[in-house]
Amino acid sequence: MDELFELGELLKRSEAEFGDVFAAKSIVYSVEFENERISEIQTTKNGGTGVRLLSKGNTIFSYTPGTLVKDASDCIEDCRMRAGTVSKMKGLHSKRGLTAQDSQTLKVDLECLKGIDSRVRKNSSMVRQVRIRFKTGVSNVTMISSEGAVVK
């Protein structure tokens, strides 16, 4: 059985009127070009999984920085416990990721950055420093509802 479908089934069995899982992972690359050379390259990764249950007129949230099926399963269980559901459910222990893997490569056109630097310097003899910051990023999101919908 597909693990995403199993998470939807866990949400259905949570005894809540509605539930959803939101998992997101993003990666941002930043390159700083200063005074005709690359001065900094930085990679920032963020991610996490959140669960929302609507139960007996209350909205219960749980969040974890992980984006594995197991993380979402643990969040569902945390929400159930806080909603006052007493029966313990068997959770999922899969190490499968809910979002796509980080497979992006930063491509920087160094000649383009040098050209921008050169043109800015040619415009005025008063220019002593040129700093160019280039950022790009990608985000992967998966949403699962207790109604069985899965969106990636």
Side-chain angles (χ1 to χ4, degrees):
M1 186 185 293
D2 181 57
E3 288 143 328
L4 298 180
F5 177 75
E6 287 184 57
L7 279 174
E9 289 298 307
L10 276 180
L11 286 170
K12 283 181 189 176
R13 293 193 312 264
S14 69
E15 300 171 24
E17 290 90 42
F18 178 79
D20 58 5
V21 174
F22 182 89
K25 185 188 293 185
S26 67
I27 185 166
V28 176
Y29 301 99
S30 174
V31 174
E32 190 168 292
F33 186 82
E34 186 175 4
N35 293 327
E36 302 176 336
R37 66 179 183 82
I38 291 178
S39 59
E40 180 181 331
I41 298 176
Q42 187 176 23
T43 302
T44 306
K45 295 181 182 183
N46 294 304
T49 301
V51 170
R52 174 181 61 166
L53 291 183
L54 305 176
S55 177
K56 301 173 191 165
N58 295 313
T59 303
I60 300 103
F61 295 98
S62 184
Y63 169 82
T64 182
T67 57
L68 301 176
V69 169
K70 180 190 180 321
D71 298 321
S73 178
D74 292 346
C75 279
I76 292 170
E77 185 62 23
D78 179 54
C79 281
R80 289 182 69 253
M81 300 290 279
R82 291 191 291 127
T85 306
V86 280
S87 59
K88 180 117 171 116
M89 292 190 319
K90 182 180 179 225
L92 301 174
H93 299 285
S94 171
K95 299 286 187 189
R96 177 178 173 208
L98 290 171
T99 59
Q101 296 299 315
D102 303 329
S103 60
Q104 300 294 317
T105 303
L106 177 63
K107 296 177 183 170
V108 179
D109 186 346
L110 195 53
E111 291 307 312
C112 176
L113 296 177
K114 286 180 180 178
I116 293 169
D117 181 280
S118 176
R119 276 179 261 152
V120 169
R121 289 174 187 280
K122 283 180 185 175
N123 281 335
S124 172
S125 60
M126 297 180 68
V127 173
R128 297 284 180 244
Q129 179 178 0
V130 176
R131 180 183 294 172
I132 303 164
R133 178 161 283 183
F134 169 77
K135 281 188 171 186
T136 186
V138 63
S139 293
N140 298 301
V141 176
T142 301
M143 293 183 289
I144 305 161
S145 78
S146 56
E147 298 164 338
V150 176
V151 178
K152 282 190 162 215

